[in-house]
Amino acid sequence: MSLTDRDKATVRTFWAKVAGNTEAVGTNALSRMLTVYPQTKTYFAHWKDLGPGSINVRKHGKTVVDGIGAAVMKIDDLQKGLLSLSELHAFQLRVDPTNFKILNHCILVVLAITFPAEFTPEAHVAVDKFLAAVALALSDKYR
Amino acid sequence: MVEWTDFERQTIADIFGKIDYETVGAAALSRCLIVYPWTQRYFGNFGNLYNASAIKINPMIAKHGTTIVHGLDRAWKNLDNIKDAYTELSILHSETIHVDPDNFRLFSDCLTITLAAQMGAEFNADVQAVVQKFLTVVVNALGKQYH
């Protein structure tokens, strides 16, 4: 399900709204994921505090959403653009790729809450496709 | 049998007590047909689904969305036996409508996002967890009679 030019334009426009808000969106999505899908906590056993106020969750939420923002800039060649992140996830982090879908869903929920008017079905499908493409690029080096 | 905490029972009752079935149903189903266009395969007789704008104003889709969300009534009213409550609907979806059960999950995701947009900050992580659990149980029950 490749990204059309229209998808890319929609994503760029919509993500510009997220740009100023990356820590809030990221923290919300990540902490939500840890609560709603407790199996994801297994990747964060090294953090003492997994609550939403936790400094680790806030910092990491921002890191992840900033990473997605960087991916928007590379939307024309995600595989190439996300190569080093893919290697990181494949060889060091070894996050099961199912979890990318789980986090993506939580990001979409946060976008719906944060931008109820702008997160139209049209924006939703473009962002969903984009996040799926990011997940695919991130898992590229897995095997 | 699924165990439900008091918080979960209360949260589910609260949500279904206050949502507007027409608004939520229409929004969730039209979103599903737009975000996952292959789901339109089950709606060949529903008139104009040509593009997102058409889907959003299609009255047959709006009406059917309401029907689907009302289909959840038998779940929250029978939390202690959802499996049996859905036997009839499961057989219907399997043997009459022939719906791939993965579509139940796709619709659930769209319903979750619709509820999130409606409820805003009130749709916090704990509430989302309850909704996720509830919908997962319903989806499983709907798939039970497929063979």
Side-chain angles (χ1 to χ4, degrees):
Chain A
M1 294 182 238
S2 51
L3 294 167
T4 62
D5 288 339
R6 196 164 94 168
D7 289 330
K8 293 179 190 177
T10 305
V11 169
R12 287 188 181 106
T13 308
F14 186 84
W15 209 264
K17 303 180 207 297
V18 179
N21 244 327
T22 57
E23 186 178 314
V25 168
T27 304
N28 196 336
L30 193 65
S31 59
R32 206 169 267 275
M33 181 189 78
L34 296 168
T35 300
V36 180
Y37 303 95
Q39 68 272 23
T40 58
K41 289 193 289 192
T42 56
Y43 291 97
F44 301 99
H46 55 289
W47 290 350
K48 259 193 314 237
D49 180 11
L50 285 172
S54 129
I55 187 107
N56 282 321
V57 173
R58 280 178 16 226
K59 187 158 164 277
H60 196 64
K62 183 172 185 338
T63 299
V64 169
V65 175
D66 282 343
I68 295 174
V72 174
M73 307 287 223
K74 302 171 194 164
I75 203 168
D76 289 316
D77 191 346
L78 286 170
Q79 249 181 17
K80 183 161 137 227
L82 295 178
L83 176 64
S84 55
L85 273 177
S86 181
E87 286 174 344
L88 174 75
H89 284 77
F91 305 132
Q92 287 178 44
L93 302 176
R94 287 175 292 194
V95 175
D96 189 307
T98 308
N99 296 287
F100 301 148
K101 286 197 190 128
I102 290 175
L103 180 58
N104 284 345
H105 175 68
C106 291
I107 291 171
L108 295 176
V109 170
V110 172
L111 294 179
I113 292 171
T114 315
F115 306 104
E118 298 93 325
F119 195 62
T120 59
E122 294 91 324
H124 178 167
V125 61
V127 174
D128 189 34
K129 285 175 74 175
F130 166 67
L131 291 176
V134 169
L136 199 61
L138 271 181
S139 44
D140 193 59
K141 294 290 163 216
Y142 271 57
R143 55 178 178 171
Chain B
M1 206 194 77
V2 183
E3 301 287 337
W4 302 93
T5 64
D6 289 341
F7 173 74
E8 288 167 344
R9 290 176 191 272
Q10 192 59 57
T11 302
I12 292 166
D14 283 348
I15 291 174
F16 283 95
K18 73 178 182 200
I19 55 165
D20 176 47
Y21 280 73
E22 270 95 45
T23 307
V24 168
L29 183 58
S30 58
R31 191 170 282 259
C32 188
L33 295 173
I34 293 165
V35 177
Y36 306 111
W38 54 94
T39 57
Q40 292 169 28
R41 75 190 306 283
Y42 302 107
F43 296 89
N45 296 324
F46 277 66
N48 186 0
L49 301 179
Y50 188 63
N51 54 31
S53 311
I55 292 170
K56 283 193 268 195
I57 59 173
N58 183 317
M60 294 172 76
I61 293 298
K63 182 157 173 279
H64 197 67
T66 309
T67 301
I68 295 176
V69 179
H70 271 300
L72 293 172
D73 288 341
R74 70 188 72 189
W76 65 267
K77 292 178 180 174
N78 292 293
L79 283 177
D80 293 318
N81 200 354
I82 291 181
K83 195 174 77 154
D84 286 348
Y86 277 86
T87 302
E88 180 197 357
L89 275 177
S90 180
I91 293 172
L92 174 80
H93 284 78
S94 163
E95 294 177 18
T96 307
I97 323 176
H98 307 291
V99 177
D100 181 334
D102 199 52
N103 291 281
F104 306 146
R105 186 184 56 82
L106 298 179
F107 178 77
S108 296
D109 283 353
C110 288
L111 179 59
T112 302
I113 283 165
T114 300
L115 287 171
Q118 284 260 307
M119 292 170 64
E122 208 191 316
F123 197 75
N124 60 34
D126 294 322
V127 170
Q128 184 181 344
V130 175
V131 170
Q132 184 66 32
K133 176 177 168 178
F134 174 73
L135 291 176
T136 301
V137 171
V138 174
V139 164
N140 283 340
L142 268 175
K144 265 283 183 286
Q145 303 304 324
Y146 278 67
H147 51 252

